[in-house]
Every structure is written in C-alpha cells, then in structure tokens.
C-alpha cells in the first residue's frame, strides 16, 4: 500500500545518503594523501598518474548508440574538475572539485607548468575513455589532452581531411547535423602517451582502445 511504499522509498533514500557520505569520506581520505609541490617545484607526470590511480572514480553509464547492440549501456569511469554546465545552463563548480581539492590543484599546477599561458575552465578526466566518434559542442577554442599510465595503443584520432585513417560515424552528432550515421571520415592518429596535444574538440574525434593496460586522459 501507499504507506509501505513511502517507507520503502525513505529507506532507499537513507541508504543512498549513507553510501554518498561513505564515498565522500573515502574521496577525502585519498585526496588528503596527495602531495602538491610548492615553491615552484615541478610536477612529475608519474606522480600525477599515481595520484589519479589512488582516488575513487565514479561510474558513468553511457549510451553506445552506434554499437552492434543498439542503445546498450556501457560502463565507463569519468569525472570533471572545475566548471560544469547544468541542464538549466548555469555554470557551477563540480562535485568532484569540491571532493578532491588537492588533486585539482595538482592538475592545475601541471597545466601551468606544461602549458604556460593556456587558459581553461575545466579538466575532463577519463579512465580508458569511450571509443565512439564524438563532438564536444560545449567547447570554446582549443583543448589540450595527455595520456597517463602504463598502456599501449590508445591513440587519439581527430578528423583531418589530409589524414589517412578512416573512421565511421556511429550515430548522429548533434553539433554537426550535416553528418549522418555511417559516414566515413578521414583523420589522423596522434600518440598522446606522456605528450600534451592541443586540438579542437568541436571536430569529430575519439580515443582508440588500448591494446593493453589502462589509459587516463
């Protein structure tokens, strides 16, 4: 009956809140163990990779519309540090930023060290990442990417009319409505392991699967 349903919903909500508190406590403990260099000391890529491997990563369910199983759910791990845009259009500081202040500061220092003068509002983190061809319509200007961790393969593909690597559009790209599912695009492949690469995320691009290991980008 209704009263039983309400009690069941309350118990589920309380269980969810308990899980969230435990997850935040775990994130805070992991973040507290991250050392951020001071006094202008350099940030090592290896230290950043190890820090990223110690913090908890949220699970993300995405829709792989272009896969053999249409609309099947694929589990990935990703989080965004810095500013994010809500569905209503407002810009807010992401929850991950508030939970992981030391990691955020470490990555900002790395960017300042490797990319002097490069301005950015957000740092998108992906564990292995989704290999679908995609376009990020919310981007403004150039982005920069680097691959961290022990892995092989896992290069970045970016559409390039002079490129020689074909890639098929898996589903409709809302930011580029002139492209249709099944269209074949020419592009170039870039090795980003330990290398910073500037590119335009508003162009079709994707991260290729790793042959072995795990890539954090």
């Amino acid at each position: 009956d209704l009263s039983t349903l309400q009690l069941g919903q309350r118990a589920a909500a309380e269980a969810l809140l308990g899980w969230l508190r435990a997850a935040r406590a775990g994130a805070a403990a992991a973040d507290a163990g991250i050392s951020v260099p001071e006094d202008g000391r350099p940030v090592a890529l290896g230290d950043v990779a190890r820090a990223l491997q110690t913090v908890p990563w949220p699970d993300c369910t995405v829709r792989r519309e272009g896969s053999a199983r249409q609309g099947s759910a694929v589990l990935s791990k990703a989080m965004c540090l810095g500013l994010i845009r809500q569905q209503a259009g407002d810009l807010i500081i992401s929850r991950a930023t508030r939970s992981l202040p030391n990691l955020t500061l470490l990555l900002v220092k790395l960017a300042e060290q490797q990319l002097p003068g490069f301005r950015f509002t957000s740092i998108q983190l992906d564990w292995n990442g989704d290999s679908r061809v995609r376009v990020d319509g919310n981007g403004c200007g150039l982005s920069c990417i680097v691959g961290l961790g022990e892995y092989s393969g896992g290069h970045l593909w970016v559409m390039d009319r002079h490129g020689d690597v074909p890639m098929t559009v898996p589903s409709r790209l809302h930011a580029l409505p002139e492209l249709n599912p099944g269209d074949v695009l020419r592009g170039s492949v870039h090795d980003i392991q330990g290398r910073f690469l500037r590119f335009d995320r508003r162009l079709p691009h994707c991260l290729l699967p790793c042959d072995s290991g795990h890539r954090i980008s």
Side-chain angles (χ1 to χ4, degrees), residues 6 29 31 43 52 78 80 86 108 112 160 183:
Q6 289 174 335
D31 187 72
V43 178
L52 288 166
C80 184
Q86 294 180 307
V108 169
E112 291 176 342
D160 175 6
D183 286 352

Side-chain angles (χ1 to χ4, degrees), residues 157-193:
W157 178 91
V158 183
M159 188 183 77
D160 175 6
R161 62 190 180 93
H162 299 296
D164 57 359
V165 180
M167 197 68 66
T168 302
V169 177
S171 58
R172 186 162 298 280
L173 304 176
H174 297 293
L176 291 176
E178 64 271 21
L179 296 179
N180 296 308
D183 286 352
V184 177
L185 307 177
R186 297 168 61 92
S188 300
V189 170
H190 307 269
D191 183 1
I192 60 169
Q193 188 172 28

Side-chain angles (χ1 to χ4, degrees), residues 53-200:
Q53 292 168 355
T54 61
V55 299
W57 284 68
D59 292 333
C60 302
T61 301
V62 297
R63 309 300 295 180
R64 189 185 292 277
E65 297 177 356
S67 65
R69 296 177 59 189
Q70 186 75 9
S72 58
V74 176
L75 197 63
S76 63
K77 294 180 181 293
M79 55 182 160
C80 184
L81 303 176
L83 289 178
I84 60 173
R85 189 180 299 278
Q86 294 180 307
Q87 289 185 346
D90 299 328
L91 291 174
I92 62 170
I93 299 295
S94 73
R95 180 180 300 171
T97 308
R98 298 192 297 269
S99 301
L100 303 167
N102 286 339
L103 177 63
T104 301
L105 182 56
L106 182 67
L107 291 173
V108 169
K109 283 182 174 290
L110 176 67
E112 291 176 342
Q113 170 186 302
Q114 297 285 342
L115 307 164
F118 187 80
R119 302 179 64 184
F120 58 96
T121 60
S122 311
I123 301 175
Q124 176 65 35
L125 297 171
D126 292 286
W127 186 287
N128 284 338
D130 190 13
S131 58
R132 297 176 302 172
V133 174
R134 58 177 296 169
V135 173
D136 297 317
N138 290 326
C140 180
L142 291 179
S143 297
C144 188
I145 189 172
V146 63
L148 301 175
E150 297 293 331
Y151 67 91
S152 62
H155 298 336
L156 172 72
W157 178 91
V158 183
M159 188 183 77
D160 175 6
R161 62 190 180 93
H162 299 296
D164 57 359
V165 180
M167 197 68 66
T168 302
V169 177
S171 58
R172 186 162 298 280
L173 304 176
H174 297 293
L176 291 176
E178 64 271 21
L179 296 179
N180 296 308
D183 286 352
V184 177
L185 307 177
R186 297 168 61 92
S188 300
V189 170
H190 307 269
D191 183 1
I192 60 169
Q193 188 172 28
R195 304 174 182 178
F196 287 80
L197 175 72
R198 302 190 190 202
F199 75 108
D200 192 343

